[in-house]
């Protein structure tokens, strides 16, 4: 049953906490299964990967059939309509342009003590991109995961995508080519994550693995973390819409349903200052559900996890938003900047009445891979920085070491680390 | 036995791979014990934390004794010598100055299509800092973990530090005060991590937990990851020194030993282009070991995990360095910049002959919390960005939505997400 709350009600805190802590996802414990597959892939390499792929994806490929060749891609891409290809290009160009602005600057300076300090950002050498197969194969996700890697300067971008029953998604191939993916393999599940992390005879290992996946993929990413970097473990999608009563209720209803249709575990929340308006949005949701193809999913999500919260003023909305820390936040108000500046925790903010969240899923430019399950409190959406790392630089000469070295010797001694102290002291008061 | 390799030897690849894959740390599996403690802390809060603290740290505190008060801090800080306090201040000032340069800039612009795009960096609201007790209580670590949080703008920085048998480290208290820590609790282990992640009656929960710890703390951080952010799971310390034969062998020997003395699982590697020089460094290590207080530890680390690698030229050194991806890298050469630009994977680079790694542990300014165990391939040292997150911003008006919206509608339809398409289409060709 959709949550209906007003901040003035006596049990609001208890109800709101119940909303926050409601468990939406019932992830099966697949850790042991995944661990066995990973160990097997690490040990038997290609042989294991081919076996699992043939078994799970109902295929019959040989070892040399793991890679998807440029020629196969050509055949698939030829099936994409001109309209869809043009839309993909609009998306790709806009995503590239926005991410190009994220390339960080290096730092290199000499301070008053004469010590040279700084850092240099360098790209990760090889990245793996997991793309789900079947119905969850979204070309937009390929663009959103692959483009930041290439903008960062990753040398080798390796995509894995399962092709159950041999079926390849043409738009996924088109998106991979537009993004500059270097290698593609038809494989999925924990076996694909293992192949990327450990390498096989065919596939060289990568340094980081990104991209969404089912419970097996998520568990595999967790388990290989450390051997390689990972992006994040994404939970079900979420939206919080903060709207006044001047928005067309059917627009806001469509926005709430655009998250709800993803998954029965998705969550859509409306915060407004007008109880009548909340009811009008609810009615509009019912009307939309009559015609939407994914009404079953959207309806279950809205019934189980949706919420309408009526506040006295927008400051209350800000405080509730920071506790929800939503993946997506719409501020459908006249002056969204004022609220945005007060809000700390949100993955992406959609400002004003003409910015439906879905515009950010496809063509706006910023990444649609965003922190879920309240992790916007401490993490950011995917971006160029995920594919770069910062090496810090320190350079002393004899005089500057003489200036700052004695304090280091003192602290090393206090910490009982005499070789640390020695390595500095031995260089003090020496002519360079 | 210390590894001694030359790139010209026939089995070099096999030997070098053995060096890379040698397991240095034998972390005990404490996952179940930690899980039980976390569940108990989540359920019983303060009561559980006090019980575990009294048991594991041989204490007898009541609930109101968990916090370390400002008065207690005063008493401890009064015990710090003037020399040590001055050295701490030098370190604190320099670390603050360097980290202040890491504050990222926001982005806010309107592109040719009329779409406003950007992002704003915001500080995490509350951070927890784990500080080990006993012999591993390093005041320098307090500075290195706490200062970036405060520079980022974290509102509430909560430190936990176990005080076995009631003993508090005065320098740790002094470092906490210099760094601006807001709350301190005398507790450690998984129970402290649980208290920070879930909150108790006394301690409000935090959003991210950073800082080093033993196997229990590392396991607890892994388990609460997702509920809160974490920094990284640090492994044993490492150094790679790339040095020509113009360095005093006893200087380079001291640098190698400064890592080796941390831990028997630490690793020190020298790469040089002169086999005679490698032997001279080895001899100097033996000489230093005769007088160093922590010779037992350093000697075991050097014997078990140390390595001397002789290369033909510096390009070979670059390639090997990228495979090692060392936490610390010294380039003790005339022109370190040339090599540094070619190297992709290193946590921090110490340039030239007068920059011993230990200067970076204490007073140089950059962070000494750095990626270990080859994770410099994909991750950076601790910094201000760990305590901030980027909220992206998107704002369309009616005309700009008309420009980019149709491509979004096309892609939504291709992906079978009709509510996504509807939320955009419903706003197209409408007067604002």
């Amino acid at each position: 049953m959709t949550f209906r709350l007003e901040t003035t009600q006596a049990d609001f805190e208890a109800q709101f906490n119940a909303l926050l802590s409601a468990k939406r996802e019932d992830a099966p414990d697949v850790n042991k299964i995944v661990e066995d597959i990973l160990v097997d892939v690490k040990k038997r390499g290609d042989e294991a990967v081919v076996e699992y792929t043939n078994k799970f994806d109902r295929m019959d490929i040989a070892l040399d059939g793991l890679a998807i060749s440029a020629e196969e891609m050509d055949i698939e891409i030829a099936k994409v309509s001109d309209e869809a290809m043009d839309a993909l290009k609009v998306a790709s160009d806009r995503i590239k342009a926005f991410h190009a602005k994220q390339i960080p600057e290096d730092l290199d300076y000499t301070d008053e003590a004469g010590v040279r300090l700084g850092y240099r950002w360098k790209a990760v050498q090889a990245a793996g991109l997991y793309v789900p197969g079947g119905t969850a194969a979204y070309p937009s996700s390929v663009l959103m995961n692959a483009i930041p890697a290439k903008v960062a300067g990753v040398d080798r971008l390796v995509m894995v995508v399962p092709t159950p029953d041999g079926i390849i998604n043409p738009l996924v191939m088109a998106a991979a080519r537009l993004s500059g993916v270097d290698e593609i393999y038809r494989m999925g599940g924990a076996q694909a994550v293992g192949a990327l992390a450990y390498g096989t005879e065919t596939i060289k290992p990568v340094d980081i693995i990104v991209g969404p996946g089912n419970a097996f993929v998520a568990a595999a990413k967790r388990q290989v973390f450390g051997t390689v970097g990972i992006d994040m473990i994404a939970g079900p999608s979420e939206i919080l819409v903060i709207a006044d009563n001047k928005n067309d209720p059917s627009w806001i209803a469509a926005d709430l349903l655009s998250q709800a249709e993803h998954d029965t575990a998705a969550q859509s929340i409306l915060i407004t200052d007008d109880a009548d308006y909340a009811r009008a949005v609810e009615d509009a949701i019912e009307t939309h559900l009559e015609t939407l193809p994914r009404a079953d999913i959207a309806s279950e999500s809205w019934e189980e996890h949706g919420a309408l919260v009526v506040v006295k003023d927008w400051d209350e909305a800000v405080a509730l938003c920071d506790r929800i820390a939503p993946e997506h936040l719409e501020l459908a108000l006249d002056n969204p900047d004022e609220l945005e500046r007060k809000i700390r925790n949100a993955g992406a903010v959609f400002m004003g009445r003409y910015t439906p969240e879905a515009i950010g899923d496809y063509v706006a430019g910023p990444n649609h891979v965003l922190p879920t399950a309240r992790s916007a409190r401490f993490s950011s959406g995917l971006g160029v920085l995920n594919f770069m790392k910062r090496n810090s630089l320190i350079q002393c000469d004899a005089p500057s070491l003489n200036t700052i070295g004695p304090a280091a010797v003192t602290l090393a001694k206090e910490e009982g680390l005499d070789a640390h102290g020695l390595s500095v002291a031995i260089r003090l008061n020496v002519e360079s």
Side-chain angles (χ1 to χ4, degrees), chain A residues 91-154:
Chain A
S92 167
D93 288 346
R94 293 187 57 84
I95 296 165
K96 279 179 198 168
F98 182 77
H99 284 78
K101 292 183 187 280
Q102 290 180 13
I103 295 173
E105 286 192 29
D106 292 341
L107 181 69
D108 193 340
Y109 68 103
T110 301
D111 71 11
E112 324 78 63
V115 181
R116 178 183 172 198
L117 296 173
Y119 48 73
R120 267 199 251 284
W121 288 94
K122 305 208 176 184
V124 167
Q125 291 177 306
L129 163 54
Y130 190 95
V131 177
T135 54
Y138 293 139
S140 58
S141 283
V142 175
L143 300 180
M144 292 290 184
N145 282 277
I147 290 172
K150 280 295 171 182
V151 170
V154 167

Side-chain angles (χ1 to χ4, degrees), chain A residues 241-247 252 270-273 277 311 313-315 317-318 329-340 343 349-355:
Chain A
V241 179
I242 299 182
D244 62 23
N245 60 12
K246 289 189 270 178
N247 294 280
I252 300 299
L270 171 67
I271 296 184
T272 182
D273 61 349
Y277 183 72
V311 293
D313 54 45
W314 300 124
D315 280 344
V318 168
L329 170 65
E330 281 186 18
L331 297 176
L333 303 160
D334 276 332
N335 187 0
D337 278 75
E338 198 185 319
L339 242 63
E340 192 281 325
I343 285 166
V349 189
F350 301 82
M351 315 268 281
R353 306 184 194 283
Y354 283 85
T355 318

Side-chain angles (χ1 to χ4, degrees), chain A residues 57 256 260 264 320 382:
Chain A
D57 296 335
L256 294 167
T264 55
L320 297 180
L382 194 71

Side-chain angles (χ1 to χ4, degrees), chain A residues 62-303:
Chain A
L63 219 171
D64 61 359
L66 277 177
I68 296 181
S69 67
E71 292 70 32
E72 277 181 279
M73 287 182 75
D74 292 340
I75 293 168
E76 296 301 327
I77 292 170
K79 298 175 188 165
V80 177
S81 72
D82 287 349
E83 189 194 1
M85 188 60 91
D86 287 346
L88 265 188
K89 280 181 189 157
V90 168
S92 167
D93 288 346
R94 293 187 57 84
I95 296 165
K96 279 179 198 168
F98 182 77
H99 284 78
K101 292 183 187 280
Q102 290 180 13
I103 295 173
E105 286 192 29
D106 292 341
L107 181 69
D108 193 340
Y109 68 103
T110 301
D111 71 11
E112 324 78 63
V115 181
R116 178 183 172 198
L117 296 173
Y119 48 73
R120 267 199 251 284
W121 288 94
K122 305 208 176 184
V124 167
Q125 291 177 306
L129 163 54
Y130 190 95
V131 177
T135 54
Y138 293 139
S140 58
S141 283
V142 175
L143 300 180
M144 292 290 184
N145 282 277
I147 290 172
K150 280 295 171 182
V151 170
V154 167
D155 300 322
R156 186 173 152 256
L157 177 56
V158 185
M159 181 171 131
V160 292
V161 55
T163 57
D165 301 308
I167 294 165
I168 299 178
N169 181 320
L171 259 93
V172 164
M173 292 299 115
R177 182 160 290 170
L178 279 175
S179 316
V181 168
D182 298 292
E183 303 167 22
I184 309 183
Y185 300 97
R186 67 186 101 226
M187 56 173 70
Q191 59 274 20
V193 174
L196 290 171
Y198 306 127
T200 69
E201 300 84 341
T202 306
I203 306 169
K204 281 191 289 183
V206 301
D207 302 305
I208 182 173
I209 300 176
V210 302
N214 62 18
F216 293 88
V217 174
K221 280 169 69 179
R222 265 188 198 276
Q223 289 187 27
V224 299
F225 175 56
T227 300
V228 296
I230 61 171
D231 52 343
M232 59 182 89
I233 307 290
S237 196
E238 312 149 3
I239 193 170
L240 169 61
V241 179
I242 299 182
D244 62 23
N245 60 12
K246 289 189 270 178
N247 294 280
D248 184 329
S250 78
W251 295 15
I252 300 299
D255 300 350
L256 294 167
L257 288 171
S258 74
Q259 292 308 299
E261 77 171 343
H262 267 296
D263 186 349
T264 55
Q267 183 166 54
S268 303
I269 302 177
L270 171 67
I271 296 184
T272 182
D273 61 349
D274 179 343
D276 290 337
Y277 183 72
R279 277 185 289 274
V281 170
E282 221 178 342
D283 291 344
I285 285 175
E286 294 309 318
T287 306
H288 286 318
L289 282 173
E290 288 166 16
T291 57
L292 282 171
R294 290 171 73 96
D296 283 359
I297 295 169
S299 169
E300 186 175 336
S301 157
W302 177 246
E303 288 296 320

